[in-house]
Amino acid sequence: EGALPKLTFLSLSDNEIGDAGIRALELAIASGAFPALEKIRGPHSAKGVESRAVMDALKRRLAVRVERRGAVSWTDPTAARDVNIWGGTRATARFYRFLKKSTDQLGSVKKRDFFWMAAPRVEEARQFGGCLNLCVNLKRLGLQRVGMSDKTLQALLASLSEGALPKLSFLILSDNEIGDAGMRALESAIAGGAFPALRSISVDPNPAGKEARKAVKAALEKRKE
């Protein structure tokens, strides 16, 4: 008890840790282990549904620590690199802080990446969409490898108002859990005029079938004509 009191970064990559090990790690952190821990990189072997859920829970817990300590800087030019290195904890903290930003702050955002953050819940996706309605100058939105599902993508799209994200030109949704239903919702949104300035969209890879993914890209190409 009380070991490693100053440990802030823990990397477990390139190991063979399964669900049982990840659950033990979650329990240890919940019980107070590594009191200063702010960043964690999960093992590549933790690919099961349960492991992913636990890792997301860990990211959220650690993100709260980062948030409380004021360790997240919205002006940090290395944020995108750090998100990758720190395995999503910082990205998750940035996501929660994004949801709290004021109208003026959101209106000034031009680029935002949330690579590898904890998978958003449906209600968080709705709230996120509401925030995006205020991002009138956002040009690039990176939502790759964030655990986006059909339900969360549908909730996000449904919360966007007409004419939202008028300057968005690049949208990244690759490496998520989006199936055919989510792709159909995205295709419908683009065909209906969402993201009027969009020039490029990345949806590969995702669990959705090839035809569903092609339909999204075709909807965007058709609008460019």
Side-chain angles (χ1 to χ4, degrees):
E1 184 176 352
L4 300 173
K6 295 185 178 181
L7 183 72
T8 60
F9 180 32
L10 175 63
S11 176
L12 295 168
S13 56
D14 295 313
N15 283 295
E16 300 300 324
I17 304 172
D19 287 353
I22 296 299
R23 286 196 302 271
L25 176 62
E26 181 194 24
L27 179 61
I29 292 177
S31 299
F34 320 127
L37 191 66
E38 294 179 350
K39 321 166 192 72
I40 188 167
R41 181 188 291 173
H44 299 306
S45 57
K47 296 180 180 180
V49 173
E50 183 173 1
S51 287
R52 288 200 302 269
V54 172
M55 287 305 299
D56 281 348
L58 286 174
K59 290 175 186 177
R60 290 191 181 94
R61 184 174 290 120
L62 296 179
V64 171
R65 290 186 184 180
V66 174
E67 174 77 13
R68 287 174 178 170
R69 294 171 187 171
V72 179
S73 171
W74 280 86
T75 59
D76 184 354
T78 64
R81 181 194 68 194
D82 291 344
V83 165
N84 188 15
I85 292 174
W86 294 352
T89 300
R90 187 183 180 99
T92 305
R94 292 175 72 239
F95 176 73
Y96 288 144
R97 183 164 288 191
F98 184 86
L99 297 183
K100 298 177 183 178
K101 291 177 81 70
S102 68
T103 300
D104 288 343
Q105 289 173 317
L106 290 170
S108 65
V109 175
K110 295 183 178 180
K111 175 183 176 180
R112 191 59 69 223
D113 286 287
F114 296 101
F115 177 59
W116 221 318
M117 75 173 196
R121 302 179 179 94
V122 171
E123 185 52 44
E124 290 171 341
R126 291 194 189 99
Q127 188 178 356
F128 184 50
C131 290
L132 291 178
N133 286 328
L134 303 174
C135 295
V136 294
N137 287 301
L138 187 67
K139 295 182 178 180
R140 172 193 166 99
L141 179 58
L143 293 171
Q144 68 271 43
R145 200 170 293 184
V146 301
M148 186 75 71
S149 66
D150 285 344
K151 289 184 177 179
T152 49
L153 179 57
Q154 288 167 334
L156 190 161
L157 293 172
S159 64
L160 294 177
S161 60
E162 186 176 352
L165 298 171
K167 294 185 179 180
L168 186 71
S169 60
F170 189 21
L171 175 60
I172 311 173
L173 289 167
S174 52
D175 287 307
N176 280 296
E177 303 299 325
I178 305 170
D180 288 355
M183 290 297 171
R184 286 195 297 271
L186 182 58
E187 175 195 3
S188 179
I190 292 174
F195 322 124
L198 194 64
R199 305 300 299 171
S200 177
I201 187 168
S202 176
V203 294
D204 298 316
N206 267 293
K210 183 177 180 180
E211 293 304 315
R213 287 180 277 120
K214 286 176 61 177
V216 170
K217 298 174 183 178
L220 180 58
E221 290 302 317
K222 184 176 180 180
R223 203 174 63 183
K224 291 179 183 179
E225 295 175 356

